Structure formats: C-alpha cells, structure tokens
Amino acid sequence: MAFGETGSTVGRWIRERRLRACYRDPARAHRGTTVTDVAFRWGFNDMAHFSRVFKQAYGVTPSSVIARHRRLAAAE
C-alpha cells in the first residue's frame, strides 16, 4: 500500500536500491574487483540481467563504471 501512490512496487524499489549500491561499490572496492563480484555481492546472480538493468538505470555498463573508478584511483 505504501508504494501504491507512487506508481512503484516493493520489488522495483529494492532493485533500485541494490543498483545504486552496485554503482557506488567499485569506488570502495579493491583493484581486482570484477563486475561479477559486485553483482553477486548485491544479490544479482544473472549477469545478463544485471548488466541490462544497470545500463537501463545509468546509461553505462557496469564494467565502464569499474574502469572509470580504477582510472580515478590510479590518477590519485
């Protein structure tokens, strides 16, 4: 009922929170972290699905986010 007025669902809300955590996670991760590591850590166990919903949400692939964080860490 709490989500009825927003047009969302509990499942969608949970997935959005997990995706946000996946987007932030590489910034705190160590150098060898993979997309699979991040996805599994946050409860995604189908990599094709994870990559698809991540790109839908952020317009970039999860691997590009990890690569960007690695470049930024190397530059520091």
Side-chain angles (χ1 to χ4, degrees):
M1 287 179 19
F3 291 91
E5 296 175 8
T6 66
S8 187
T9 65
V10 173
R12 188 175 301 145
W13 181 81
I14 291 169
R15 185 178 66 204
E16 288 169 0
R17 290 187 51 108
R18 288 171 43 216
L19 283 170
R20 271 186 266 157
C22 290
Y23 190 88
R24 289 188 314 261
D25 201 20
R28 297 184 301 262
H30 58 79
R31 185 176 186 89
T33 298
T34 66
V35 172
T36 303
D37 295 332
V38 172
F40 284 177
R41 185 176 302 127
W42 292 101
F44 291 95
N45 56 13
D46 179 337
M47 292 309 301
H49 173 71
F50 170 68
S51 292
R52 188 173 46 256
V53 297
F54 189 97
K55 188 167 184 175
Q56 254 181 339
Y58 298 108
V60 294
T61 63
S63 58
S64 68
V65 172
I66 289 176
R68 183 182 54 171
H69 283 296
R70 285 184 183 151
R71 283 192 304 273
L72 292 173
E76 292 178 349

